[in-house]
Amino acid sequence: MSLSEKLLAPAVRPAVSADLAATIDTEVSNKRGLSGAAIKTGYAAAKKKADVPKVLNENLEQITAIFDPYWEQFGGQGDFGAYLAGRGDEVTSDILKVADARAQATSRDQISKVYGSMRGKAADLIKESLPAIGATLQKHAG
């Protein structure tokens, strides 16, 4: 069974979306310094315009599809977050392709604007968050 099949199951999906939103909240709140302040400000602005768990739930098919090939290669043994972190550049590139396409397709100008202002730092932010994202996904994949 693929990671997507496990995470998109009706009994699991709401918890996956909620936990991913909590993971993002934690990762953002842990950022420090000037760039951390900018990230927190941008994320707070985005949260005013969008319900993060709802947006994650609406896009969960695309999100989980990014991780399917990595989960298959991983084989379900060990720490998926560490596995993803070991392939940080590749995983980050795959995530950004989807995020860029979503930002271009959104009708919400404010979301697109906030994303555009943070896009330059996005690769670093994603790489730093891969262990936590992987742990969250693995938690629900069983």
Side-chain angles (χ1 to χ4, degrees):
M1 181 179 286
S2 74
L3 181 65
S4 288
E5 290 171 320
K6 293 176 181 184
L7 300 181
L8 297 174
V12 178
R13 185 180 183 133
V16 173
S17 300
D19 283 355
L20 280 173
T23 298
I24 294 168
D25 287 347
T26 299
E27 290 296 306
V28 169
S29 72
N30 288 336
K31 301 301 175 208
R32 302 287 177 245
L34 291 175
S35 63
I39 292 162
K40 288 175 185 178
T41 300
Y43 185 60
K47 284 179 74 171
K48 288 180 182 177
K49 299 291 182 182
D51 178 350
V52 175
K54 181 180 176 188
V55 171
L56 288 169
N57 189 53
E58 290 170 355
N59 294 285
L60 202 55
E61 286 87 355
Q62 285 183 316
I63 294 166
T64 58
I66 294 167
F67 295 99
D68 275 337
Y70 298 105
W71 182 259
E72 186 177 329
Q73 295 164 8
F74 167 65
Q77 302 298 317
D79 181 344
F80 189 50
Y83 180 85
L84 293 175
R87 288 145 189 80
D89 289 338
E90 182 182 352
V91 177
T92 298
S93 176
D94 289 345
I95 292 169
L96 286 173
K97 286 176 192 171
V98 172
D100 289 347
R102 295 292 301 162
Q104 288 179 347
T106 187
S107 62
R108 299 174 179 161
D109 291 338
Q110 185 66 24
I111 298 294
S112 182
K113 185 177 179 180
V114 170
Y115 178 77
S117 71
M118 296 174 58
R119 177 58 175 83
K121 290 287 292 173
D124 291 337
L125 297 172
I126 293 168
K127 275 190 217 177
E128 292 168 5
S129 300
L130 287 175
I133 293 168
T136 301
L137 297 175
Q138 188 172 19
K139 170 185 168 183
H140 293 286

mmCIF file of all heavy atoms in Angstrom, residues 1 26 30 32-33 38-39 41 55 71 77-78 104 109 111-112 116 123 138:
data_model
loop_
_atom_site.group_PDB
_atom_site.id
_atom_site.type_symbol
_atom_site.label_atom_id
_atom_site.label_comp_id
_atom_site.label_asym_id
_atom_site.label_seq_id
_atom_site.Cartn_x
_atom_site.Cartn_y
_atom_site.Cartn_z
ATOM 1 N N MET A 1 0.847 -1.177 0.000
ATOM 2 C CA MET A 1 0.000 0.000 0.000
ATOM 3 C C MET A 1 0.897 1.246 0.000
ATOM 4 O O MET A 1 1.840 1.347 0.771
ATOM 5 C CB MET A 1 -0.907 -0.030 1.243
ATOM 6 C CG MET A 1 -1.843 1.157 1.323
ATOM 7 S SD MET A 1 -2.933 1.136 2.764
ATOM 8 C CE MET A 1 -4.091 -0.119 2.282
ATOM 9 N N THR A 26 4.710 24.564 14.519
ATOM 10 C CA THR A 26 5.880 24.374 15.381
ATOM 11 C C THR A 26 7.161 24.777 14.671
ATOM 12 O O THR A 26 8.012 25.471 15.248
ATOM 13 C CB THR A 26 5.970 22.905 15.843
ATOM 14 O OG1 THR A 26 4.789 22.587 16.581
ATOM 15 C CG2 THR A 26 7.201 22.667 16.690
ATOM 16 N N ASN A 30 9.600 27.977 15.783
ATOM 17 C CA ASN A 30 10.977 27.728 16.219
ATOM 18 C C ASN A 30 12.011 28.562 15.463
ATOM 19 O O ASN A 30 13.193 28.511 15.810
ATOM 20 C CB ASN A 30 11.323 26.247 16.070
ATOM 21 C CG ASN A 30 10.633 25.391 17.095
ATOM 22 O OD1 ASN A 30 10.249 25.866 18.161
ATOM 23 N ND2 ASN A 30 10.472 24.118 16.788
ATOM 24 N N ARG A 32 14.245 31.670 14.408
ATOM 25 C CA ARG A 32 14.833 32.752 15.193
ATOM 26 C C ARG A 32 15.493 33.782 14.274
ATOM 27 O O ARG A 32 15.726 33.536 13.107
ATOM 28 C CB ARG A 32 15.883 32.193 16.162
ATOM 29 C CG ARG A 32 15.343 31.153 17.123
ATOM 30 C CD ARG A 32 14.479 31.816 18.190
ATOM 31 N NE ARG A 32 13.890 30.827 19.077
ATOM 32 C CZ ARG A 32 12.601 30.588 19.187
ATOM 33 N NH1 ARG A 32 11.731 31.250 18.480
ATOM 34 N NH2 ARG A 32 12.154 29.675 20.014
ATOM 35 N N GLY A 33 15.811 34.922 14.844
ATOM 36 C CA GLY A 33 16.525 35.968 14.126
ATOM 37 C C GLY A 33 15.611 36.790 13.235
ATOM 38 O O GLY A 33 14.386 36.668 13.274
ATOM 39 N N ALA A 38 10.608 37.445 9.916
ATOM 40 C CA ALA A 38 9.941 37.646 8.622
ATOM 41 C C ALA A 38 9.071 36.437 8.269
ATOM 42 O O ALA A 38 7.949 36.596 7.773
ATOM 43 C CB ALA A 38 10.980 37.885 7.531
ATOM 44 N N ILE A 39 9.583 35.259 8.544
ATOM 45 C CA ILE A 39 8.826 34.039 8.269
ATOM 46 C C ILE A 39 7.563 34.000 9.127
ATOM 47 O O ILE A 39 6.474 33.695 8.639
ATOM 48 C CB ILE A 39 9.700 32.799 8.517
ATOM 49 C CG1 ILE A 39 10.806 32.734 7.459
ATOM 50 C CG2 ILE A 39 8.870 31.518 8.520
ATOM 51 C CD1 ILE A 39 11.951 31.844 7.821
ATOM 52 N N THR A 41 5.964 36.496 10.437
ATOM 53 C CA THR A 41 5.044 37.527 9.984
ATOM 54 C C THR A 41 4.305 37.079 8.723
ATOM 55 O O THR A 41 3.082 37.227 8.623
ATOM 56 C CB THR A 41 5.791 38.847 9.726
ATOM 57 O OG1 THR A 41 6.412 39.262 10.949
ATOM 58 C CG2 THR A 41 4.866 39.930 9.221
ATOM 59 N N VAL A 55 -6.701 23.870 4.101
ATOM 60 C CA VAL A 55 -5.926 23.941 2.856
ATOM 61 C C VAL A 55 -5.092 22.677 2.680
ATOM 62 O O VAL A 55 -5.011 22.121 1.581
ATOM 63 C CB VAL A 55 -5.041 25.206 2.832
ATOM 64 C CG1 VAL A 55 -4.073 25.180 1.669
ATOM 65 C CG2 VAL A 55 -5.915 26.458 2.775
ATOM 66 N N TRP A 71 8.772 7.189 0.149
ATOM 67 C CA TRP A 71 8.276 6.171 1.081
ATOM 68 C C TRP A 71 8.554 4.776 0.529
ATOM 69 O O TRP A 71 8.977 3.876 1.260
ATOM 70 C CB TRP A 71 6.778 6.375 1.331
ATOM 71 C CG TRP A 71 6.213 5.405 2.312
ATOM 72 C CD1 TRP A 71 5.480 4.281 2.035
ATOM 73 C CD2 TRP A 71 6.319 5.455 3.738
ATOM 74 N NE1 TRP A 71 5.126 3.639 3.192
ATOM 75 C CE2 TRP A 71 5.635 4.343 4.253
ATOM 76 C CE3 TRP A 71 6.933 6.332 4.624
ATOM 77 C CZ2 TRP A 71 5.542 4.088 5.621
ATOM 78 C CZ3 TRP A 71 6.837 6.083 5.980
ATOM 79 C CH2 TRP A 71 6.148 4.967 6.469
ATOM 80 N N GLN A 77 11.074 1.175 7.121
ATOM 81 C CA GLN A 77 11.924 0.769 8.239
ATOM 82 C C GLN A 77 12.799 1.938 8.687
ATOM 83 O O GLN A 77 13.465 2.561 7.877
ATOM 84 C CB GLN A 77 12.823 -0.401 7.823
ATOM 85 C CG GLN A 77 12.067 -1.612 7.334
ATOM 86 C CD GLN A 77 11.164 -2.202 8.413
ATOM 87 O OE1 GLN A 77 11.563 -2.330 9.563
ATOM 88 N NE2 GLN A 77 9.946 -2.555 8.033
ATOM 89 N N GLY A 78 12.765 2.228 9.974
ATOM 90 C CA GLY A 78 13.617 3.285 10.505
ATOM 91 C C GLY A 78 12.877 4.603 10.635
ATOM 92 O O GLY A 78 11.673 4.647 10.878
ATOM 93 N N GLN A 104 1.009 29.931 -8.214
ATOM 94 C CA GLN A 104 0.650 30.555 -9.487
ATOM 95 C C GLN A 104 -0.823 30.377 -9.803
ATOM 96 O O GLN A 104 -1.433 31.230 -10.441
ATOM 97 C CB GLN A 104 1.492 29.975 -10.618
ATOM 98 C CG GLN A 104 2.938 30.418 -10.578
ATOM 99 C CD GLN A 104 3.762 29.799 -11.692
ATOM 100 O OE1 GLN A 104 3.339 28.866 -12.355
ATOM 101 N NE2 GLN A 104 4.958 30.325 -11.889
ATOM 102 N N ASP A 109 -4.802 36.577 -4.098
ATOM 103 C CA ASP A 109 -3.627 37.404 -4.361
ATOM 104 C C ASP A 109 -2.731 37.546 -3.141
ATOM 105 O O ASP A 109 -1.510 37.547 -3.264
ATOM 106 C CB ASP A 109 -4.038 38.798 -4.853
ATOM 107 C CG ASP A 109 -4.656 38.758 -6.237
ATOM 108 O OD1 ASP A 109 -4.395 37.786 -6.977
ATOM 109 O OD2 ASP A 109 -5.394 39.693 -6.579
ATOM 110 N N ILE A 111 -2.230 35.436 -0.668
ATOM 111 C CA ILE A 111 -1.465 34.202 -0.457
ATOM 112 C C ILE A 111 -0.309 34.145 -1.438
ATOM 113 O O ILE A 111 0.832 33.847 -1.065
ATOM 114 C CB ILE A 111 -2.371 32.954 -0.623
ATOM 115 C CG1 ILE A 111 -3.493 32.958 0.405
ATOM 116 C CG2 ILE A 111 -1.558 31.674 -0.568
ATOM 117 C CD1 ILE A 111 -3.054 32.811 1.833
ATOM 118 N N SER A 112 -0.587 34.444 -2.693
ATOM 119 C CA SER A 112 0.458 34.435 -3.706
ATOM 120 C C SER A 112 1.548 35.448 -3.388
ATOM 121 O O SER A 112 2.744 35.172 -3.540
ATOM 122 C CB SER A 112 -0.160 34.725 -5.073
ATOM 123 O OG SER A 112 0.821 34.682 -6.065
ATOM 124 N N GLY A 116 5.366 34.559 -2.583
ATOM 125 C CA GLY A 116 6.422 35.152 -3.398
ATOM 126 C C GLY A 116 7.493 35.824 -2.557
ATOM 127 O O GLY A 116 8.684 35.738 -2.860
ATOM 128 N N ALA A 123 13.508 26.997 0.252
ATOM 129 C CA ALA A 123 14.296 25.767 0.178
ATOM 130 C C ALA A 123 14.939 25.452 1.528
ATOM 131 O O ALA A 123 14.884 24.311 1.998
ATOM 132 C CB ALA A 123 15.345 25.868 -0.918
ATOM 133 N N GLN A 138 5.048 9.517 8.876
ATOM 134 C CA GLN A 138 5.285 8.143 9.336
ATOM 135 C C GLN A 138 4.341 7.762 10.470
ATOM 136 O O GLN A 138 3.868 6.633 10.551
ATOM 137 C CB GLN A 138 6.737 7.974 9.756
ATOM 138 C CG GLN A 138 7.107 6.541 10.065
ATOM 139 C CD GLN A 138 8.592 6.357 10.280
ATOM 140 O OE1 GLN A 138 9.328 7.297 10.545
ATOM 141 N NE2 GLN A 138 9.055 5.119 10.148
#
